[in-house]
C-alpha cells in the first residue's frame, strides 16, 4: 500500500474576496444619472490578480444592468472616467497621484492601506483577525455624488462621517 | 509441508489418521468431516496433532478457491486451529510450522484489505486489516505495529481524499472529509512527527477553505460572504499548525514551504507569506546551483 501526497489547490484567495466585496459595494451604491448608461467601468491600479478576478466575474455579471468592463491601470496617464477606481498601495503617497487624476469623475475610490479612509478613499480595505473588512468615509461618497445605502454602513468596521 | 507421521495400524481406529487418508485421496470434503469428528472426541480434542491437521485441511480448503463463499470462514477456522495447535503443542512438534502458516494466512488478510481498498470498499478493508493486525499481534505480542497502522491509515486517507477531490465542488461530502481528518489525526496520535499526516492534513483544511471561496457566487449577499470568509479563515487557521509542523520536521521540503506561503496569504498575512515564498525561491535557486 502506498499513499499519495495531497495536492494543494491554487487560487488567489485574497483577490476573490476583494472582487466579491467590490461587486457588493457597487450593488449598494447609486451613481449619478449620467453614469447609469453605457459600460460600468472598474479601474484597477497595479493589481493584476484582482483585475483578472474581476474580469472573470464580468463575463457573466452585470452591475445595475450595465456591462462590466475592467480596466487595468499602470500609470496615472491611464486613469479615465470610471465608476470604481481601486488603487493598490499602502500609503497616501502611493495612491494619491491616481486619485487626484480621477478627481473630476464620480467614481468610488477604494484603497487598501492603513488610515486611508480618513482623507483619501471612500472605502478602504483593512485586515481584521485575518479577514478582509472595510472602513468607509461617508463624506468622500458624498463629495463624488454617490449615494450609499445604510446596509453598507452597518457592515463597515469603521464609518467616518 | 505437512508434518503428520505415516499412518500405522491404529489408522483403522484413529479418526485423525482417517481424515489424513481422505486428505491424501484429495477428498477435502471427507477429510473436513472426519477431522471435525476428531476434534469433538477425547482424547484427540486435546492433541496438538489433531488441531494441526484440522488447520492444514482448512487452509487447503481456503486456498482451493479464495473467492468462494465459505473461503473467509475456512481461513478463520484454519488460523484459529493453528493457534490451538501452538497452545497444545508441549513438545513443539508443530509450533514452528503453525506459526509460519499463521503468518502466511495473516498476510492474506492484509492483501485482501489492500484489494478491498482498491475497490473503495472501506468497511471491509478496515475489517480485514484488523483481522491481519489482531492475528499478527496474537502470534507475536511484542510486535510493534505502529508503522503498519500508519501506513494503512495514510493509504485509506489518501483513498478518501481521492473521492473528496473528485466530488463536485458544490457538493463535497462532509462525511468523507471528516473521515480524512479523523484518519490523519489517528496517525498523528501514533506519531505526531509524521510528516505526511501533518502535511496532508494541513492541505486538506486549506483546500476546503479554497473550495468554499471558489463556490462563493457574486450574487450571494454581503452578510453571507462575510460569514463564509470567517469559515474560510477558521479552516486556514486549522491548516496552519499542521503545515508548520511539517515544515519544522523537514525544513527543506518545498511543498510545505509552498503550503505555508499559501496559508499565510489566505490569512492575509502578506509579510509571512512573502517570507516563505522567499525561502522557497532560495531553496530552488540552491537546487539549481547544485548545492
Amino acid at each position: 500500500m502506498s499513499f499519495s501526497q495531497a495536492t494543494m489547490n491554487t487560487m488567489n484567495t485574497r483577490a476573490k474576496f476583494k472582487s466579491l466585496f467590490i461587486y457588493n459595494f457597487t450593488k449598494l451604491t447609486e451613481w449619478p444619472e449620467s453614469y447609469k448608461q453605457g459600460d460600468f467601468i472598474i479601474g484597477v491600479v497595479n493589481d493584476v490578480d484582482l483585475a483578472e478576478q474581476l474580469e472573470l466575474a464580468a463575463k457573466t455579471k452585470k452591475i445595475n444592468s450595465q456591462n462590466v468592463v475592467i480596466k487595468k491601470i499602470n500609470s496615472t496617464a491611464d486613469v479615465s472616467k470610471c465608476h470604481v477606481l481601486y488603487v493598490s498601495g499602502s500609503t497616501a503617497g502611493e495612491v494619491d497621484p491616481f486619485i487626484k487624476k480621477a478627481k473630476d469623475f464620480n467614481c468610488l475610490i477604494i484603497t487598501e492601506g492603513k488610515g486611508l479612509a480618513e482623507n483619501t478613499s471612500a472605502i478602504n480595505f483593512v485586515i481584521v483577525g485575518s479577514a478582509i473588512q472595510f472602513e468607509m468615509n461617508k463624506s468622500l461618497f458624498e463629495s463624488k455624488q454617490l449615494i450609499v445605502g445604510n446596509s453598507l454602513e452597518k457592515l463597515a468596521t469603521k464609518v467616518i462621517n | 509441508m505437512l508434518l503428520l507421521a505415516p499412518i500405522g495400524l491404529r489408522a483403522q481406529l484413529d479418526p485423525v489418521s482417517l481424515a489424513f487418508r481422505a486428505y491424501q485421496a484429495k477428498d477435502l470434503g471427507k477429510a473436513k468431516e472426519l477431522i471435525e469428528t476428531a476434534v469433538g472426541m477425547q482424547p484427540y480434542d486435546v492433541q496438538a496433532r489433531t488441531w494441526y491437521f484440522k488447520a492444514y485441511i482448512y487452509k487447503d480448503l481456503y486456498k482451493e478457491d479464495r473467492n468462494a463463499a465459505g473461503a473467509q470462514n475456512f481461513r478463520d477456522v484454519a488460523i484459529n486451529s493453528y493457534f490451538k495447535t501452538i497452545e497444545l503443542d508441549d513438545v513443539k512438534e508443530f509450533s514452528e510450522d503453525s506459526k509460519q502458516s499463521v503468518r502466511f494466512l495473516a498476510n492474506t488478510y492484509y492483501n485482501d484489505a489492500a484489494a478491498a481498498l482498491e475497490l473503495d470498499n472501506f468497511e471491509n478493508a478496515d475489517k480485514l486489516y484488523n483481522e491481519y493486525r489482531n492475528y499478527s499481534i496474537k502470534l507475536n505480542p511484542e510486535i510493534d505495529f505502529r508503522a503498519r497502522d500508519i501506513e494503512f491509515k495514510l493509504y485509506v486517507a489518501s483513498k478518501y481524499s481521492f473521492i473528496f477531490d473528485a466530488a463536485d465542488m458544490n457538493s463535497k461530502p462532509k462525511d468523507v472529509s471528516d473521515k480524512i481528518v479523523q484518519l490523519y489525526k489517528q496517525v498523528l496520535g501514533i506519531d505526531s512527527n509524521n510528516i505526511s499526516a501533518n502535511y496532508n492534513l494541513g492541505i486538506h483544511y486549506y483546500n476546503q477553505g479554497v473550495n468554499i471561496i471558489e463556490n462563493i457566487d457574486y450574487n450571494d449577499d454581503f452578510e453571507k460572504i462575510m460569514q463564509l470568509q470567517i469559515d474560510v479563515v477558521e479552516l486556514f487557521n486549522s491548516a496552519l499548525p499542521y503545515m508548520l509542523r511539517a515544515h519544522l520536521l523537514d525544513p527543506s521540503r518545498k511543498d510545505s514551504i509552498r503550503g505555508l506561503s499559501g496559508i499565510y496569504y489566505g490569512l492575509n498575512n502578506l509579510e509571512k507569506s512573502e517570507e516563505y515564498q522567499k525561502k522557497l525561491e532560495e531553496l530552488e535557486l540552491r537546487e539549481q546551483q547544485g548545492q
Side-chain angles (χ1 to χ4, degrees):
Chain A
M1 291 184 202
S2 63
F3 60 92
S4 56
Q5 185 180 288
T7 311
M8 189 174 188
N9 290 353
T10 52
M11 92 165 290
N12 193 315
T13 49
R14 277 170 53 79
K16 174 74 186 267
F17 272 119
K18 284 200 278 186
S19 68
L20 284 161
F21 275 44
I22 290 170
Y23 266 82
N24 272 279
F25 297 148
T26 64
K27 283 184 207 168
L28 301 169
T29 304
E30 194 180 335
W31 272 262
E33 281 304 316
S34 59
Y35 277 71
K36 290 180 180 175
Q37 285 163 5
D39 292 335
F40 190 100
I41 301 164
I42 302 177
V44 180
V45 177
N46 293 331
D47 192 333
V48 177
D49 292 331
L50 175 61
E52 284 175 358
Q53 193 63 54
L54 287 164
E55 271 173 352
L56 209 63
K59 284 179 186 169
T60 55
K61 305 289 169 201
K62 288 189 174 190
I63 296 174
N64 304 325
S65 306
Q66 292 168 276
N67 289 325
V68 183
V69 173
I70 311 302
K71 196 174 172 195
K72 291 175 188 164
I73 297 168
N74 299 313
S75 73
T76 52
D78 299 333
V79 177
S80 57
K81 184 184 172 186
C82 57
H83 294 72
V84 175
L85 183 66
Y86 172 84
V87 191
S88 171
S90 54
T91 62
E94 284 177 83
V95 301
D96 272 349
F98 293 93
I99 293 168
K100 278 181 184 152
K101 192 76 194 298
K103 68 178 174 14
D104 296 330
F105 310 125
N106 299 103
C107 66
L108 172 61
I109 306 286
I110 305 173
T111 55
E112 185 180 8
K114 197 175 177 186
L116 291 182
E118 298 293 335
N119 302 303
T120 309
S121 55
I123 289 180
N124 184 47
F125 284 128
V126 288
I127 305 302
V128 180
S130 299
I132 297 172
Q133 306 276 339
F134 66 94
E135 306 165 334
M136 61 185 283
N137 185 323
K138 280 177 80 177
S139 65
L140 290 177
F141 270 88
E142 285 158 14
S143 69
K144 295 283 187 178
Q145 293 167 18
L146 303 174
I147 301 164
V148 61
N150 284 341
S151 49
L152 194 61
E153 202 174 320
K154 282 180 196 161
L155 294 168
T157 55
K158 185 179 176 184
V159 180
I160 298 158
N161 287 302
Chain B
M1 185 183 68
L2 185 57
L3 298 176
L4 287 179
I7 305 162
L9 287 174
R10 61 180 180 160
Q12 303 296 319
L13 304 169
D14 178 348
V16 179
S17 299
L18 287 172
F20 185 55
R21 184 173 287 175
Y23 175 82
Q24 278 184 318
K26 300 191 188 312
D27 187 350
L28 278 177
K30 185 74 181 167
K32 173 175 170 278
E33 195 182 306
L34 288 163
I35 202 66
E36 285 298 345
T37 307
V39 296
M41 282 173 68
Q42 288 180 339
Y44 310 109
D45 60 340
V46 290
Q47 290 175 355
R49 118 185 221 279
T50 311
W51 288 96
Y52 172 72
F53 192 40
K54 177 177 175 177
Y56 211 93
I57 290 167
Y58 275 87
K59 187 173 81 171
D60 271 15
L61 283 164
Y62 163 68
K63 284 164 71 179
E64 200 174 54
D65 185 359
R66 294 182 189 206
N67 298 316
Q72 306 304 316
N73 184 46
F74 290 151
R75 177 167 55 180
D76 284 344
V77 173
I79 211 163
N80 284 308
S81 299
Y82 278 123
F83 278 119
K84 185 78 177 171
T85 306
I86 295 164
E87 181 194 323
L88 295 171
D89 190 19
D90 296 334
V91 293
K92 309 293 176 205
E93 189 181 352
F94 307 108
S95 294
E96 202 43 52
D97 189 59
S98 295
K99 284 177 185 172
Q100 269 187 33
S101 294
V102 169
R103 263 181 231 116
F104 163 77
L105 289 169
N107 283 333
T108 64
Y109 282 105
Y110 182 80
N111 294 337
D112 287 355
L117 279 179
E118 286 309 310
L119 300 171
D120 291 343
N121 189 342
F122 293 101
E123 200 178 322
N124 200 30
D126 200 48
K127 191 177 150 222
L128 289 162
Y129 179 78
N130 280 323
E131 297 278 20
Y132 159 71
R133 188 182 194 279
N134 293 339
Y135 285 133
S136 300
I137 290 172
K138 190 173 175 185
L139 186 68
N140 178 11
E142 304 300 314
I143 197 169
D144 184 349
F145 234 78
R146 285 177 298 182
R148 264 286 155 101
D149 283 345
I150 287 172
E151 179 191 41
F152 180 72
K153 286 174 191 299
L154 287 177
Y155 186 60
V156 177
S158 68
K159 292 289 289 179
Y160 273 122
S161 292
F162 187 76
I163 292 171
F164 188 78
D165 293 342
D168 187 81
M169 254 206 312
N170 298 309
S171 56
K172 294 284 184 191
K174 191 184 176 301
D175 58 331
V176 174
S177 174
D178 291 344
K179 270 275 176 199
I180 294 166
V181 171
Q182 185 189 35
L183 283 158
Y184 285 134
K185 285 190 173 174
Q186 283 173 356
V187 171
L188 294 172
I190 300 167
D191 176 13
S192 61
N193 290 338
N194 186 285
I195 295 178
S196 296
N198 276 296
Y199 174 80
N200 284 359
L201 185 52
I203 289 293
H204 181 66
Y205 279 127
Y206 175 81
N207 283 351
Q208 281 187 83
V210 171
N211 283 338
I212 290 174
I213 300 171
E214 282 177 336
N215 268 321
I216 303 176
D217 191 272
Y218 282 86
N219 291 327
D220 287 339
D221 65 49
F222 220 154
E223 286 88 349
K224 184 181 174 187
I225 292 168
M226 286 186 141
Q227 181 52 52
L228 288 172
Q229 188 182 208
I230 291 167
D231 297 344
V232 167
V233 165
E234 197 179 316
L235 284 163
F236 288 170
N237 273 323
S238 297
L240 188 58
Y242 296 105
M243 197 58 75
L244 280 168
R245 185 96 185 133
H247 175 57
L248 189 73
L249 292 165
D250 183 359
S252 63
R253 186 181 159 130
K254 287 190 285 182
D255 290 329
S256 311
I257 302 172
R258 197 175 289 115
L260 282 171
S261 179
I263 292 167
Y264 277 122
Y265 189 83
L267 288 169
N268 294 298
N269 189 336
L270 301 188
E271 202 179 318
K272 278 278 182 191
S273 176
E274 277 164 25
E275 180 187 318
Y276 283 100
Q277 186 58 35
K278 262 187 192 163
K279 265 190 191 183
L280 184 65
E281 285 163 10
E282 283 166 12
L283 201 64
E284 283 171 344
L285 188 66
R286 278 207 299 274
E287 276 181 3
Q288 279 169 13
Q289 292 168 343
Q291 288 174 5

